[in-house]
Amino acid sequence: MATVVKGRVPAEEFALYETLASGPDIECEIERIVETGDDVVMPLVWLRGGDHDTFEAALAEDPSVDDPSLLTDLDAESLYRMEWVADIQLVVQMLTGVDATILDAYGADGWWYLRVLYPTRDSLSATYEFCDENGLTFEVETIREMDGDPVGRYGLTEKQYEALTLATERGYFDVPRDIDVSDLADELDISHQALSERLRRAQRVLVEDTLLMGTRSDE
């Protein structure tokens, strides 16, 4: 059964530690990770919280990074393509050793926060064993079984998932709305107050488990 795991890794055991340590407010967020098969990982990385010169200087001296290339320079953040060549044993094990998928990766305040989709619980156990054998740390915060449907991927209950999907299908989130909360509640055979509370909880779960995953506001 597929399992979504949310956990964290000390930054000193992971790539970009020197870059993250170069400023108190610097944050990293992974846009995409590609594993080349040669113990090299090629991610797209958003860097924010410092100026462009700080990023460039830190990346140039970071021993875990090779060939960083600036793709986009925005006011508040910059997107880089780079190669990770050191301190990536855990990432390589996840991607190639157990066929896991790293859904989110965010680095700040001395930690990397990961959300990883494992194909089986045995593959998660293999990561535990790998960390133990290699002196690495992977502190798991939550484990969710997907149970063959998308409910567990973002931590929703079945009732929350049902309410959100029905609300979307019926146009509750459209502007203007195609259905009001009372009519939508009638379809679910619950009170409108119960539905409003269910939708608010579901939306909070989605935001916390995606947009705020690992950010300072998640602490």
Side-chain angles (χ1 to χ4, degrees):
M1 182 182 300
T3 302
V4 175
V5 175
K6 186 177 176 182
R8 65 179 190 170
V9 180
E12 62 264 27
E13 298 179 15
F14 209 76
L16 287 175
Y17 169 65
E18 298 293 338
T19 299
L20 285 170
S22 66
D25 298 320
I26 292 182
E27 305 172 358
C28 301
E29 185 175 358
I30 307 305
E31 180 76 19
R32 187 179 66 191
I33 294 179
V34 177
E35 195 278 324
T36 68
D38 298 317
D39 290 337
V40 175
V41 173
M42 299 179 63
L44 299 180
V45 182
W46 288 101
L47 291 171
R48 60 179 69 98
D51 60 28
H52 179 78
D53 291 338
T54 300
F55 293 158
E56 289 287 338
L59 285 173
E61 299 297 327
D62 198 315
S64 68
V65 176
D66 192 17
D67 195 26
S69 176
L70 178 65
L71 300 181
T72 302
D73 187 11
L74 305 177
D75 290 338
E77 57 188 1
S78 300
L79 179 65
Y80 289 83
R81 179 176 58 229
M82 63 187 69
E83 294 183 359
W84 287 353
V85 296
D87 298 321
I88 56 172
Q89 304 97 313
L90 181 57
V91 173
V92 172
Q93 190 273 343
M94 288 176 175
L95 296 177
T96 64
V98 295
D99 295 323
T101 301
I102 298 177
L103 303 173
D104 298 293
Y106 171 88
D109 297 330
W111 291 91
W112 274 93
Y113 301 87
L114 307 178
R115 192 160 59 91
V116 185
L117 173 63
Y118 284 93
T120 65
R121 286 297 292 266
D122 287 342
S123 58
L124 172 58
S125 297
T127 293
Y128 281 132
E129 294 173 3
F130 179 83
C131 289
D132 186 59
E133 293 170 357
N134 291 274
L136 299 173
T137 306
F138 183 37
E139 296 184 3
V140 172
E141 298 175 352
T142 62
I143 299 176
R144 297 183 180 126
E145 304 287 357
M146 291 186 65
D147 196 22
D149 59 48
V151 175
R153 177 166 180 171
Y154 295 112
L156 297 170
T157 66
E158 291 185 5
K159 290 182 178 179
Q160 289 170 347
Y161 177 78
E162 178 187 27
L164 275 180
T165 53
L166 184 63
T168 302
E169 292 167 356
R170 296 292 188 269
Y172 177 75
F173 296 114
D174 292 352
V175 180
R177 285 176 173 164
D178 292 334
I179 189 172
D180 62 27
V181 68
S182 296
D183 291 338
L184 190 61
D186 288 342
E187 290 196 39
L188 291 169
D189 196 25
I190 59 176
S191 69
H192 72 275
Q193 181 177 353
L195 176 59
S196 295
E197 292 176 357
R198 188 174 299 175
L199 288 173
R200 285 198 300 271
R201 291 193 185 102
Q203 291 173 78
R204 179 184 177 113
V205 168
L206 284 178
V207 170
E208 288 180 344
D209 211 39
T210 54
L211 300 180
L212 300 183
M213 201 285 296
T215 64
R216 289 183 173 89
S217 54
D218 189 38
E219 297 175 353

